[in-house]
Amino acid sequence: MNRSVRLAVLLRSPDEDDADDRERHGNDDDDEDDLDCELHVTKSSERAPNNRSPGPVQTSMEPVFATVAEEDGVSVTSAEVNGFTLSELRFPQSYVQAPFEPELPYLAVVLEGALVKSFPRRALDLGCASAVAIPLGATHGARFGSEGARILIVRPRSASDPVAGCFDRIAELRGRELTWLAWRLAGELRAEDTAAPLAAEGFALELLAATTRETRAQRTHARPPAWLRSAEELLRARLADRIGLAELAETVGVHPAYLARAFRAHYGLSVGEYGRRLRLAWAAAELARGEAPLAEVAANAGFADQSHFTRVFRRHVGITPARYRAQARSRAFQDR
């Protein structure tokens, strides 16, 4: 089965998602009318020596397809699928990564925490929901924040692989659908079923496709206008609020229909689906790092109730919130 066919198998039609939401909430969750639908998201070259431990140490692990190890004080969960190396790295607080030259290009998405990547002519300040595409040979180091960081890495296994063309220059990518896809991919690295490798490959392909679109838009200067960026920022700021398309359009001073068309053209998703992914990404992060009751997470993420949250989360992620939390907090995947 080729990659395109595999990816198609993994994706549900947006119509199916909208129909399911309408069944639960009538028309309240229509993508273009109401954004209350549901969401407030190795290779050693990425782990230069830091003299924190003598070397890789294999640890106990759940019966999943990913492996778990610790190297130089960094917890590494990694797996190889068709053409990719996928890794989730957990860096301790105030970790300093010495400058190194990557032997392969890669995409890094910050799931939690913050860091500064320093290149010879520039420095990138990367926080949660930021991402960066690093080309082959781009020498750089990194300094991590007071809380450390959790980073998802997607890397081709060969510089000659066609997907390596996604990384032809250093490109800073600010969230969008990357965060949600990265959280879903991180979840598959903990999955215990035989479909996990296929699902992980699908999310990796989606991440690379989103990276390609973003870097292409940057090269052609097809950046969203200021009012559209304001609309996107407002969605993030009011993650758990009931905010409709009409209210959003009025706030940024455009007609709702124009906002809907422009948003989809620039971000590749409807306003409602974009909001849904933001909320699910936030909820996934909260489940992974916190102990708040599920009902509280559901309310803070803007869901109608815990039942609604569980149903939507399971549909999009493949497991219940409780199971996701159990996997994220399992002994094999905790910070060392």
Side-chain angles (χ1 to χ4, degrees):
M1 182 184 296
N2 59 39
R3 288 182 183 172
S4 61
V5 173
R6 291 182 179 184
L7 184 55
V9 171
L10 293 170
L11 302 179
R12 291 185 54 160
S13 165
D15 293 338
E16 294 180 65
D17 290 343
D18 294 340
D20 200 9
D21 287 338
R22 286 193 290 271
E23 181 181 343
R24 173 64 174 82
H25 290 289
N27 291 324
D28 289 345
D29 290 338
D30 187 278
D31 276 354
E32 302 302 352
D33 294 328
D34 188 349
L35 307 189
D36 185 49
C37 36
E38 17 339 19
L39 211 139
H40 178 33
V41 253
T42 34
K43 178 175 169 37
S44 59
S45 61
E46 176 63 12
R47 307 186 305 282
N50 200 50
N51 300 320
R52 298 210 176 197
S53 72
V57 178
Q58 190 71 26
T59 66
S60 60
M61 62 176 291
E62 303 273 342
V64 294
F65 80 103
T67 60
V68 184
E70 184 174 316
E71 182 176 346
D72 304 318
V74 179
S75 172
V76 183
T77 302
S78 62
E80 294 198 356
V81 296
N82 187 16
F84 305 109
T85 298
L86 312 174
S87 306
E88 181 189 295
L89 281 61
R90 295 176 183 253
F91 292 88
Q93 60 184 24
S94 304
Y95 187 90
V96 177
Q97 188 177 47
F100 67 98
E101 180 179 333
E103 297 179 19
L104 289 170
Y106 65 90
L107 171 69
V109 184
V110 183
L111 300 178
E112 297 181 84
L115 68 149
V116 176
K117 278 187 176 287
S118 299
F119 299 87
R121 297 183 180 180
R122 65 187 296 193
L124 297 180
D125 191 353
L126 303 172
C128 184
S130 296
V132 60
I134 307 292
L136 176 70
T139 300
H140 66 284
R143 181 179 296 272
F144 293 80
S146 58
E147 297 182 357
R150 183 180 177 193
I151 299 177
L152 193 284
I153 302 290
V154 177
R155 181 175 22 239
R157 284 193 281 177
S158 169
S160 61
D161 193 294
V163 301
C166 297
F167 311 97
D168 59 349
R169 66 187 185 91
I170 299 171
E172 184 179 4
L173 313 167
R174 288 291 179 181
R176 303 188 179 182
E177 72 264 40
L178 293 173
T179 304
W180 168 232
L181 291 170
W183 271 107
R184 296 194 72 178
L185 177 51
E188 293 302 332
L189 291 178
R190 302 183 183 88
E192 301 176 9
D193 58 88
T194 57
L198 180 60
E201 181 184 357
F203 291 130
L205 287 169
E206 286 193 83
L207 276 167
L208 294 177
T211 299
T212 300
R213 292 192 185 105
E214 175 72 6
T215 54
R216 183 176 301 161
Q218 290 182 7
R219 283 195 295 268
T220 58
H221 305 289
R223 310 193 72 171
W227 64 265
L228 189 55
R229 292 197 299 273
S230 295
E232 193 270 347
E233 291 168 1
L234 185 59
L235 285 176
R236 292 180 178 276
R238 297 182 57 182
L239 210 54
D241 294 346
R242 291 183 64 90
I243 177 171
L245 182 64
E247 180 184 353
L248 187 63
E250 182 179 2
T251 302
V252 299
V254 299
H255 191 278
Y258 183 54
L259 170 61
R261 290 194 301 270
F263 198 98
R264 186 182 290 276
H266 281 276
Y267 294 105
L269 299 168
S270 70
V271 176
E273 177 59 22
Y274 192 89
R276 176 183 291 117
R277 293 192 181 195
L278 285 177
R279 291 179 186 167
L280 284 173
W282 181 89
E286 194 67 14
L287 290 170
R289 66 170 174 255
E291 298 181 353
L294 294 182
E296 181 179 329
V297 174
N300 291 338
F303 292 89
D305 51 39
Q306 182 177 337
S307 176
H308 182 211
F309 173 47
T310 298
R311 180 180 57 80
V312 175
F313 193 92
R314 180 168 51 196
R315 187 179 74 233
H316 285 273
V317 181
I319 57 176
T320 65
R323 182 58 179 161
Y324 185 92
R325 168 175 278 174
Q327 291 182 351
R329 295 172 62 82
S330 64
R331 179 178 176 182
F333 292 95
Q334 289 301 301
D335 292 329
R336 308 295 188 256

